[in-house]
Amino acid sequence: MLEAVSRTLHRIEGSYAFGILCSDYPGALIAARKDSPLILGYGEGFNFIASDVTAMIRYTREVCYMEDGEIAVLTADSISVFNSELVPVEKTRTTIDWDITAAEKCGHPHFMFKEILEQPEAVRRTISPRIKDNRVIMPELSALSPDYLKNITRIYIIACGSSFHVGMVSKYIWESLLRIPVEVVLASEFRYCDPLADKNTLVVVISQSGETLDTMAAMAEAKRRGAKTLSIVNVVGSSIARSADHVLYTWAGPEIAVATTKAYSTQLVLMDLLGLYLADLLGTVGCEQYDEILTAIQTLPEQMQTVLAQTNDIQYFASRWFNHNSIFFIGRNLDYAMGLEGSLKLKEISYIHSEAYASGELKHGTISLIEPGALVVALGTYAPLFDKAVSNILEVKARGAQVMALTTENRKEKMGKIADAVLTVPETHAILLPSLSVVPLQLFAYYVALQRGCDIDKPRNLAKSVTVE
Ligand code: AGP
């Protein structure tokens, strides 16, 4: 049977992860993979295969990751792994230290809601081990010397979906801190665009699951061109984590809901820390600015908690607007990058058509979509551009739109005079505003989807790990 599988695999093209049963060989399961993830789980009196550790952490924490070309034979009591020539392979087991309750709803109606509430703690877990004596420490990156960094001429951030939106926020922050051009490219585009990556390029790859096929392929393309790769990943031992030159883990814990929330927030704060760390190595950040940002990062979990306290208001606004067919998000700079994520969250779980636009682009076409009654979510947290946000709100109001605005606490009154509803986030360093603003947008999407009776944790047509192209 093993030989038959092996010979067949030599003839199969494309990406796959198989679990193969044969009635002539009862009690045995043969597993093989190429490009798609496949994990073996060691139990007592039972063993598992799965594409993601979250599927089996309720039963076992002992896992190992299969490599392309390997074949595993599982029975209830044993797991044997062979290479493509059928020579036995010694696999290293990994113990997953995730808390089991993290993969349970624990009385919450949905995983997504629970995961939104877990964000302050997840952010705390991600930042605490990386701050010591008021300095950012990243021992995982000791090989990235200042000399290497000084020769970097370009940084690519590559990702998909929400992870791509983290990149969009980070671009604004990193370019200002590092003074190096940062390009954010969708992984599915990067691999086919003949990218300008070479040995002087740093490629940062962001992925919650660490198994997104497009992201993995884009990273392989970058490596082929001689670039150094650094991955930001949540799942320990996942394919992207294993194949990047360097890896930094987010400590969000298992994320079960398809719509990412706590993984997004931990990616964002880790990118802030990483930006600060690299800027310090390059000498492009002053002491005062460094201390200011680091102090603000440390108060983030507490501030996120205060934003979560606005749940009732957000629930009320959602009940007011859940029936809309189309919702627009507008903002500039960091607020624009934030709007992209707010809009994706809304559309993926509520099925409402939604788009995010850079406010300055309204007049170049989009404003023709604004008609009486349209709902516009206007993001105006970024102080230097607050007045511009106000004039964009007046523009859409003049065309009959209803506006739900998001701003900082000290601008609430001013915003209240022009918007139909105002949500606020506490004052913080500008670069951390997106980390706070995302929370009300996630809650808004959640409550809108709830009102519409959608399957919040498992929205139609979507998967948690996208392991196909
Ligand atoms: C976000 O809510 C989505 N589920 C999706 O856009 C996701 O961020 C994307 O598929 C990328 O996944 P990754 O972070 O696991 O690579």
Side-chain angles (χ1 to χ4, degrees):
M1 179 61 184
L2 184 58
E3 217 177 298
V5 170
S6 164
R7 269 191 268 137
T8 309
L9 292 178
H10 279 108
R11 300 174 63 184
I12 291 180
E13 290 177 12
S15 309
Y16 54 79
F18 291 136
I20 303 161
L21 294 168
C22 176
S23 54
D24 293 340
Y25 296 87
L29 173 63
I30 298 190
R33 67 159 261 183
K34 185 169 169 287
D35 301 335
S36 299
L38 196 56
I39 298 157
L40 306 173
Y42 297 81
E44 284 190 14
F46 51 85
N47 291 306
F48 290 98
I49 58 169
S51 59
D52 196 314
V53 284
T54 42
M56 53 191 174
I57 66 166
R58 221 169 281 169
Y59 310 99
T60 181
R61 311 291 193 83
E62 292 289 299
V63 303
C64 85
Y65 298 88
M66 286 187 71
E67 301 295 341
D68 278 355
E70 289 179 344
I71 304 178
V73 181
L74 292 88
T75 66
D77 307 307
S78 67
I79 296 183
S80 318
V81 182
F82 304 87
N83 68 15
S84 57
E85 307 309 318
L86 297 185
V87 177
V89 177
E90 200 62 52
K91 297 294 288 180
T92 313
R93 291 194 197 190
T94 305
T95 306
I96 305 295
D97 58 5
W98 282 345
D99 176 5
I100 290 186
T101 56
E104 309 276 354
K105 280 193 206 150
C106 302
H108 293 288
H110 297 98
F111 279 112
M112 183 182 176
F113 188 66
K114 174 173 176 257
E115 288 160 4
I116 290 174
L117 299 184
E118 282 172 352
Q119 292 182 105
E121 192 43 42
V123 165
R124 194 173 286 121
R125 268 201 311 271
T126 300
I127 61 175
S128 312
R130 296 187 164 108
I131 301 173
K132 200 172 166 209
D133 301 330
N134 287 321
R135 306 300 300 170
V136 182
I137 51 160
M138 297 201 163
E140 306 94 320
L141 303 187
S142 52
L144 286 186
S145 65
D147 282 345
Y148 161 76
L149 287 171
K150 286 201 169 112
N151 287 320
I152 291 294
T153 51
R154 177 196 306 266
I155 296 175
Y156 277 115
I157 301 179
I158 302 173
C160 304
S162 295
S163 300
F164 172 78
H165 295 157
V166 170
M168 291 293 286
V169 174
S170 305
K171 174 188 165 72
Y172 290 103
I173 298 168
W174 281 31
E175 282 190 337
S176 137
L177 284 175
L178 306 176
R179 308 315 293 162
I180 296 176
V182 177
E183 251 186 85
V184 194
V185 189
L186 289 165
S188 52
E189 290 295 317
F190 183 88
R191 56 189 296 202
Y192 299 122
C193 74
D194 195 8
L196 294 166
D198 59 22
K199 65 176 182 17
N200 296 325
T201 313
L202 176 64
V203 172
V204 179
V205 169
I206 309 175
S207 175
Q208 183 285 131
S209 62
E211 300 294 353
T212 303
L213 188 75
D214 284 326
T215 311
M216 227 146 62
M219 187 169 79
E221 183 58 40
K223 281 181 119 176
R224 240 190 318 275
R225 290 168 187 253
K228 273 243 176 313
T229 55
L230 192 172
S231 65
I232 307 283
V233 178
N234 192 41
V235 180
V236 175
S238 54
S239 306
I240 291 174
R242 282 177 294 138
S243 40
D245 296 313
H246 308 277
V247 55
L248 288 175
Y249 285 110
T250 50
W251 300 115
E255 191 177 60
I256 313 292
V258 166
T260 180
T261 52
K262 62 176 180 171
Y264 173 92
S265 289
T266 54
Q267 288 169 344
L268 202 51
V269 75
L270 187 49
M271 286 296 281
D272 292 339
L273 276 183
L274 178 58
L276 202 53
Y277 174 82
L278 296 177
D280 188 35
L281 285 184
L282 284 167
T284 49
V285 60
C287 295
E288 212 175 300
Q289 194 189 10
Y290 183 97
D291 291 344
E292 211 185 310
I293 296 174
L294 199 54
T295 309
I297 289 178
Q298 286 166 284
T299 44
L300 202 53
E302 236 169 86
Q303 290 188 311
M304 287 177 114
Q305 204 68 55
T306 64
V307 179
L308 286 167
Q310 290 180 73
T311 302
N312 288 346
D313 285 351
I314 299 168
Q315 193 166 7
Y316 167 68
F317 296 146
S319 67
R320 197 165 151 192
W321 284 306
F322 75 95
N323 254 335
H324 274 64
N325 295 326
S326 192
I327 298 181
F328 303 98
F329 287 71
I330 59 168
R332 288 171 188 257
N333 196 276
L334 291 167
D335 284 321
Y336 163 56
M338 199 60 260
L340 293 169
E341 177 60 7
S343 169
L344 177 64
K345 238 21 2 134
L346 184 76
K347 74 183 109 181
E348 68 178 335
I349 60 167
S350 75
Y351 314 145
I352 295 178
H353 167 255
S354 167
E355 300 293 338
Y357 296 108
S359 308
E361 279 297 290
L362 278 172
K363 58 186 176 295
H364 296 291
T366 318
I367 203 155
S368 64
L369 295 171
I370 306 296
E371 53 187 4
L375 177 62
V376 174
V377 179
L379 307 173
T381 64
Y382 186 53
L385 297 175
F386 181 74
D387 290 342
K388 303 259 175 213
V390 168
S391 44
N392 289 128
I393 292 174
L394 293 173
E395 267 167 16
V396 294
K397 289 283 302 171
R399 281 145 185 98
Q402 291 183 288
V403 172
M404 181 174 88
L406 178 70
T407 190
T408 46
E409 273 156 12
N410 64 355
R411 293 189 175 78
K412 184 176 182 178
E413 209 184 313
K414 192 159 183 198
M415 198 57 114
K417 290 189 181 134
I418 52 167
D420 298 276
V422 185
L423 291 167
T424 57
V425 292
E427 299 297 328
T428 180
H429 191 283
I431 71 169
L432 295 170
L433 285 166
S435 291
L436 296 175
S437 326
V438 73
V439 178
L441 301 185
Q442 294 164 343
L443 284 167
F444 182 68
Y446 173 79
Y447 283 117
V448 167
L450 194 66
Q451 293 275 347
R452 293 167 70 92
C454 299
D455 188 353
I456 293 181
D457 285 338
K458 291 186 193 142
R460 68 185 180 206
N461 308 338
L462 294 174
K464 185 69 185 161
S465 301
V466 185
T467 56
V468 291
E469 186 172 10

